[in-house]
Amino acid sequence: LPAVYSLDGLLVFGLLLVCTCAYLRKVPRLRTWFLSERRGIWGVCHKAAVIGTRLHVAVSMSCLLMAFYVLVGK
């Protein structure tokens, strides 16, 4: 729980949210179930999925850099 209050934890959480929602968008049955709503918490998931699919190169590079930082830097 203390990791959530640090900048590192917040960045990891954001990257995992974007990556997970982008993955769920690629699965047809899950896409209609999770990402059909565009308001509320499901709207946040929908927007994260759009960011993940449109900026997939930047998101994947950010994930690699964050993994390197967490494994080596900390």
Side-chain angles (χ1 to χ4, degrees), residues 26-73:
K26 295 293 183 185
V27 180
R29 184 171 290 204
L30 293 177
R31 180 180 185 173
T32 58
W33 193 39
F34 280 119
L35 302 172
S36 61
E37 194 66 35
R38 295 189 180 176
R39 291 186 175 172
I41 189 68
W42 299 120
V44 172
C45 292
H46 173 74
K47 290 174 184 170
V50 169
I51 290 170
T53 53
R54 289 187 184 170
L55 300 174
H56 63 277
V57 174
V59 170
S60 63
M61 292 303 291
S62 299
C63 286
L64 288 173
L65 289 173
M66 185 56 75
F68 181 76
Y69 172 73
V70 167
L71 291 174
V72 177

